[in-house]
Amino acid sequence: MAKRSSLFIRIVEGKNLPAKDITGSSDPYCIVKIDNEAIIRTATVWKTLFPFWGEEYEVHLPPSFHCVSFYVMDEDALSRDDVIGKVCITQSLLAEHPKGYNGWLNLTEIDPDKEVQGEIHLRIEIVEGGAVRKLCCTLFDARDLARKDRNGASDPFVRVRYNGKTQETLVIKKSCYPRWNETFEFDLDESAVEKLCIVEVWDWDLVSRNDFLGKVVFNVQRLQTVQREEGWFLLRPDKAKPRRNEGNLGSLHLQVQLRNETVLPSIHYQPLVQLLCQEVKVGAQVAGMQYLHRVLGPTVTRLFEEKRCIELDPSKVESKDVGCSSLHRIQSESDVIQQSAQLLRLYLTDLLAAITKSIKACPAVVRATFQLLFKRVGERFPEERDQNVKFIAITSFLCLRFLSPAIMSPKLFHLREKHADARTSRALLLLAKAVQSVGNMDAGASRTKEAWMEPLQPTIQQGVAQMKQFLLQLIDIEEKEELDLQKALSLQTQVVKEGHLFIHKMKSKGSLISSSFKKLYFSLTSEALSYTKTPNSKKSSSISLASIRAVEKVEEKSFGNSHVMQIVYANDAGQEDTAYLQCKCVNELNQWLSALRKVCVNNAGMLCSYHPGVFRGDKWSCCHQRDKSGLGCDKTRHGVTLREWNDPLDPDLEAQLIFRHLLGVQEVMREKYLELSALEKDENFNLSQNADPQSADAPSRFFQVLQDLEEIHRKECSRLSDLANQDQNRLVELQT
């Protein structure tokens, strides 16, 4: 049994952002952090104070997360990016909106005293010391502290305050994972007015003032009840200062929903699954993304690279200067439209050619579905005047809901890494309109709606004939051919992710060569992570997935580079080894982390801790420990992953979602069932006269299965809730 949490995030748009550039505009993008760990970076929207992103993400994460933060940044090509403002949404706020939070939130300034992160490991206890009782605080270590210095680290020390007295630990230089192992004692004053013991973590600075890194507050009076407490404690920010410029930094439109599901072991869902499914065919997951990329990829890439000005609507044509050697002339409106029509005809012709050649690439199940749809619509509309209806039934899915949306928003379908600029976006929209016209079989209504599309009519008419011929060939598939194609697909080793990365090498003695890295082509399958010099190289090396023990991020200071991850695995000799891989951006880093974590989810012997630094010389760069094979100084994050389009379905989670939905409508179904039963009895009409007794008894068995599963689920949720409340109450008592 497990509690699984998913965070659905849609970053919609921003408005009234301040201008950060000398041009009076900004180039905004968003960074999303979960508990101060960067997970997502949106595309940059250039030269606007009213950016629209419309980007959606789903993050799987542990139920123990605390908050999700959105930082709006201004991208600068020559200097460091500017911070415009931030929005923070806590888990408690999301819990108050079970259907999700949707609205505008004002951006606020970054307060350094609130930008804290990490945890501290300590023990605090009441000790009998003869005549005077002592309050003892032992500080062991801390992890994932905020990085306050330019070197990508901090110089942390701890300050403990009680009853007007203060004691401090030593300063640990250049570490966000310090270890102190120091104990402080205070005389326990029963009559003291102040009943708090405050443990603060600071970053020491030689010249400027020390930076606040977070604190933990203990109620000494309540501590006397339990006598002793030890563990990892989340560092909290200082008291909030009055906010300046709130509302003057613009606002952000967000849609965020937290979904927590308590998923039972598979055996509990089997009665429901067996009742709902007479037959379950286990096969490869059907996804159209690869087919979409194959068909649209070349044309969309060409549009992005050429950046041509394309416009057919006279009301939107702007005369522009065109330089031609030493001749300078103004291009007329008719020139722009004529040139645009010629370019669009070329793009549309190339795209239609790619579509007509894609029959074998289309998933077999999709072809069989279109075949059945074509047949049923043809039977429903047999008249000669309705011959186009059966074709339009298919193109309504293929063109209107599949190809055209991807053409208009290629980033959302992973065809491009960034949004299109205004010029390219307009060209994509016009191309999508042309594809829709082909899909409509050039219906008269679509021709009269936008008369300025008339220059494309000859190409559209030719495309209609091509599309009909393509569809007839697409649906010409026999059941045996469908099964053979599915079988061949299931036998193939599916590529989960591939692309170029930089790999960092280690010397045989174990010391790191910080400058030694090489660009290679990586391919991740369900069996191994392989890498070669080029995509077509035959000679390759690989890391078996079964040998992987951890996949985690690396501190930026370790290599002086961002976006580096590490794969800890057992080599052929059974010894622990590490491969360091560098990605080009935070999104690529998190996508590779997610992909690797998901394919290793069932690995035995996954590590609970790791070192976010590197072992250089005779110590770890993160915590300065000299034991190379000792326990890591930070906890692993196997459960933090991004949802991708090609992720396989989780059978237990899907069964839980179906169960929860049926549970919500069971009373409506029961009323309907009773209504039909009464109708059968009153009218002496046997609704199930041709059914076998087992089928006739299915409704009562269905409601009984739901009732049994509801009882099991209620007990397990209650047990988990009691455990969580016990932990929370104990923490609140100590930190109130």
Side-chain angles (χ1 to χ4, degrees):
M1 177 176 174
K3 189 173 182 180
R4 305 185 190 180
S5 297
S6 297
L7 196 62
F8 299 86
I9 298 172
R10 185 167 191 258
I11 305 169
V12 187
E13 58 185 323
K15 66 179 181 182
N16 300 324
L17 301 183
K20 291 291 184 177
D21 301 335
I22 58 174
T23 59
S25 187
S26 292
D27 304 313
Y29 66 91
C30 286
I31 291 286
V32 182
K33 294 184 178 182
I34 295 177
D35 289 345
N36 294 294
E37 181 179 2
I39 298 293
I40 298 162
R41 183 202 193 276
T42 69
T44 301
V45 183
W46 303 100
K47 299 179 181 178
T48 180
L49 304 180
F50 295 82
F52 178 82
W53 291 285
E55 298 190 18
E56 297 180 358
Y57 303 90
E58 180 180 346
V59 185
H60 302 302
L61 69 173
S64 57
F65 89 99
H66 298 91
C67 68
V68 53
S69 303
F70 301 82
Y71 293 78
V72 180
M73 311 288 292
D74 169 57
E75 183 168 339
D76 288 321
L78 302 178
S79 61
R80 196 171 187 176
D81 294 352
D82 299 316
V83 180
I84 295 176
K86 72 173 283 191
V87 166
C88 184
I89 299 179
T90 62
Q91 187 185 38
S92 58
L93 176 63
L94 293 175
E96 295 172 4
H97 298 79
K99 294 185 178 180
Y101 180 87
N102 181 7
W104 289 91
L105 293 169
N106 288 334
L107 293 170
T108 60
E109 282 188 329
I110 304 298
D111 183 352
D113 288 343
K114 294 194 69 177
E115 295 297 298
V116 303
Q117 66 183 66
E119 300 170 297
I120 185 168
H121 181 199
L122 60 84
R123 180 176 65 236
I124 187 167
E125 57 188 336
I126 306 295
V127 179
E128 301 294 338
V132 181
R133 301 170 72 194
K134 300 286 187 179
L135 173 66
C136 292
C137 182
T138 301
L139 304 157
F140 299 108
D141 50 357
R143 61 191 180 195
D144 197 26
L145 298 179
R147 291 147 181 82
K148 295 292 186 178
D149 299 336
R150 291 185 177 181
N151 58 18
S154 290
D155 305 317
F157 69 94
V158 179
R159 179 180 294 158
V160 183
R161 294 191 285 115
Y162 170 67
N163 198 23
K165 297 180 180 179
T166 302
Q167 299 189 57
E168 295 181 355
T169 67
L170 295 175
V171 175
I172 307 298
K173 294 293 189 68
K174 300 180 181 178
S175 176
C176 293
Y177 301 84
R179 294 189 177 184
W180 294 285
N181 291 320
E182 295 188 42
T183 300
F184 298 134
E185 289 187 352
F186 298 88
D187 291 339
L188 187 63
D189 188 351
E190 306 282 357
S191 61
V193 176
E194 185 181 10
K195 302 294 184 180
L196 302 179
C197 176
I198 302 175
V199 179
E200 298 174 335
V201 185
W202 292 83
D203 167 52
W204 178 83
D205 285 319
L206 178 63
V207 179
S208 59
R209 72 178 184 89
N210 297 335
D211 298 310
F212 180 71
L213 296 178
K215 69 178 181 181
V216 182
V217 180
F218 294 94
N219 187 309
V220 178
Q221 188 173 5
R222 292 179 179 173
L223 181 64
Q224 295 183 55
T225 304
V226 294
Q227 291 295 306
R228 177 177 180 176
E229 188 68 23
E230 180 179 344
W232 286 95
F233 295 89
L234 183 71
L235 291 171
R236 305 286 182 175
D238 208 352
K239 291 182 180 179
K241 297 178 181 178
R243 292 179 175 177
R244 298 173 297 169
N245 297 328
E246 184 170 2
N248 298 330
L249 299 176
S251 51
L252 197 60
H253 184 192
L254 300 170
Q255 296 174 1
V256 186
Q257 182 183 14
L258 176 63
R259 187 180 72 190
N260 292 315
E261 293 291 345
T262 302
V263 182
L264 302 172
S266 302
I267 189 172
H268 294 297
Y269 297 109
Q270 285 308 305
L272 178 63
V273 172
Q274 290 170 2
L275 194 61
L276 295 175
C277 305
Q278 294 180 352
E279 180 182 3
V280 179
K281 294 181 179 179
V282 180
Q285 182 178 336
V286 179
M289 191 71 80
Q290 291 176 334
Y291 174 68
L292 189 73
H293 283 210
R294 178 170 178 172
V295 173
L296 297 183
T299 303
V300 169
T301 299
R302 183 179 168 192
L303 272 162
F304 268 78
E305 291 176 350
E306 293 182 356
K307 296 184 180 297
R308 305 299 289 270
C309 180
I310 299 177
E311 186 54 75
L312 297 180
D313 186 353
S315 66
K316 296 184 178 181
V317 173
E318 296 180 2
S319 297
K320 58 174 186 170
D321 293 338
V322 179
C324 181
S325 56
S326 60
L327 182 64
H328 187 73
R329 64 184 178 86
I330 301 298
Q331 198 172 27
S332 67
E333 179 182 292
S334 60
D335 290 337
V336 172
I337 292 177
Q338 183 179 0
Q339 179 181 314
S340 299
Q342 183 179 0
L343 288 170
L344 269 177
R345 283 194 289 267
L346 289 174
Y347 291 135
L348 182 58
T349 300
D350 289 348
L351 182 54
L352 289 171
I355 293 173
T356 56
K357 294 176 182 177
S358 68
I359 294 171
K360 294 295 184 183
C362 185
V365 176
V366 174
R367 294 178 61 186
T369 304
F370 284 163
Q371 182 190 57
L372 185 60
L373 179 63
F374 188 85
K375 179 182 177 182
R376 292 289 184 264
V377 174
E379 293 171 352
R380 176 66 178 79
F381 300 95
E383 293 82 4
E384 183 66 29
R385 59 187 175 86
D386 295 327
Q387 287 304 300
N388 275 349
V389 176
K390 54 191 176 185
F391 290 100
I392 295 175
I394 298 177
T395 56
S396 296
F397 290 100
L398 185 64
C399 297
L400 184 62
R401 294 177 177 84
F402 188 59
L403 297 177
S404 291
I407 294 172
M408 289 189 289
S409 303
K411 184 182 185 301
L412 300 185
F413 291 82
H414 306 284
L415 284 161
R416 302 292 298 181
E417 291 186 359
K418 295 186 177 181
H419 288 299
D421 56 25
R423 175 179 289 185
T424 306
S425 182
R426 181 60 181 171
L428 290 168
L429 177 62
L430 293 174
L431 180 59
K433 285 180 177 290
V435 172
Q436 290 181 15
S437 295
V438 173
N440 291 333
M441 298 294 147
D442 194 32
S446 66
R447 300 182 66 177
T448 57
K449 185 178 179 181
E450 294 172 328
W452 43 266
M453 291 285 287
E454 187 65 29
L456 295 182
Q457 283 306 313
T459 308
I460 290 174
Q461 290 287 354
Q462 183 181 355
V464 170
Q466 288 179 276
M467 182 63 71
K468 285 185 175 180
Q469 186 63 32
F470 163 71
L471 293 178
L472 290 173
Q473 295 176 3
L474 186 71
I475 64 176
D476 185 17
I477 181 172
E478 300 293 334
E479 184 177 0
K480 183 179 183 304
E481 183 183 358
E482 177 191 351
L483 292 173
D484 290 343
L485 287 171
Q486 282 186 289
K487 184 177 180 181
L489 183 63
S490 64
L491 292 175
Q492 293 177 358
T493 301
Q494 297 294 317
V495 176
V496 177
K497 188 168 182 60
E498 57 187 344
H500 284 99
L501 297 171
F502 290 93
I503 185 168
H504 294 253
K505 296 292 187 179
M506 299 283 289
K507 282 184 178 179
S508 58
K509 293 183 179 179
S511 59
L512 185 72
I513 313 174
S514 60
S515 61
S516 176
F517 57 90
K518 195 173 185 180
K519 186 177 182 180
L520 298 174
Y521 190 82
F522 286 78
S523 178
L524 176 63
T525 68
S526 57
E527 298 175 355
L529 176 66
S530 305
Y531 47 98
T532 59
K533 286 186 177 181
T534 65
N536 299 321
S537 298
K538 294 183 178 180
K539 186 178 180 180
S540 67
S541 301
S542 65
I543 299 173
S544 170
L545 295 189
S547 67
I548 293 179
R549 299 290 175 262
V551 184
E552 300 293 336
K553 294 181 180 179
V554 177
E555 280 190 303
E556 182 176 342
K557 70 169 188 175
S558 300
F559 294 96
N561 295 316
S562 305
H563 321 311
V564 178
M565 65 177 176
Q566 57 177 302
I567 302 174
V568 183
Y569 65 99
N571 58 27
D572 294 338
Q575 298 176 338
E576 191 174 284
D577 209 342
T578 306
Y580 296 94
L581 307 180
Q582 183 180 348
C583 305
K584 61 184 177 183
C585 64
V586 65
N587 281 353
E588 185 179 64
L589 171 64
N590 285 304
Q591 288 164 7
W592 274 102
L593 282 169
S594 295
L596 283 161
R597 286 170 178 171
K598 282 181 280 194
V599 294
C600 297
V601 67
N602 294 319
N603 279 14
M606 295 295 284
L607 300 178
C608 296
S609 64
Y610 79 107
H611 286 284
V614 294
F615 196 80
R616 181 177 286 114
D618 61 348
K619 62 182 179 181
W620 288 99
S621 63
C622 45
C623 58
H624 304 168
Q625 300 305 302
R626 300 184 183 277
D627 184 0
K628 188 174 186 295
S629 59
L631 291 176
C633 55
D634 198 5
K635 58 184 178 182
T636 52
R637 295 168 176 83
H638 306 304
V640 180
T641 59
L642 290 171
R643 172 73 176 168
E644 296 288 347
W645 63 268
N646 57 349
D647 284 352
L649 295 177
D650 182 335
D652 293 342
L653 178 58
E654 295 302 315
Q656 166 62 24
L657 295 177
I658 293 172
F659 159 68
R660 182 162 56 83
H661 174 71
L662 292 175
L663 197 63
V665 297
Q666 71 167 331
E667 291 306 319
V668 177
M669 292 190 295
R670 193 189 301 275
E671 291 175 6
K672 190 66 176 177
Y673 169 62
L674 294 174
E675 180 185 329
L676 291 174
S677 299
L679 179 66
E680 180 184 73
K681 183 178 180 180
D682 294 344
E683 299 184 3
N684 196 24
F685 177 70
N686 187 3
L687 293 175
S688 56
Q689 56 186 351
N690 296 322
D692 58 65
Q694 193 174 21
S695 298
D697 191 44
S700 58
R701 288 192 294 114
F702 169 76
F703 290 119
Q704 186 61 48
V705 166
L706 274 186
Q707 183 178 341
D708 294 343
L709 189 53
E710 180 183 11
E711 181 63 19
I712 295 171
H713 198 270
R714 184 190 63 77
K715 289 181 179 178
E716 290 298 321
C717 288
S718 177
R719 184 178 64 84
L720 287 180
S721 179
D722 289 344
L723 292 174
N725 287 336
Q726 290 174 12
D727 292 341
Q728 184 65 26
N729 290 339
R730 186 173 61 176
L731 189 62
V732 169
E733 287 178 358
L734 288 169
Q735 298 185 353
T736 300

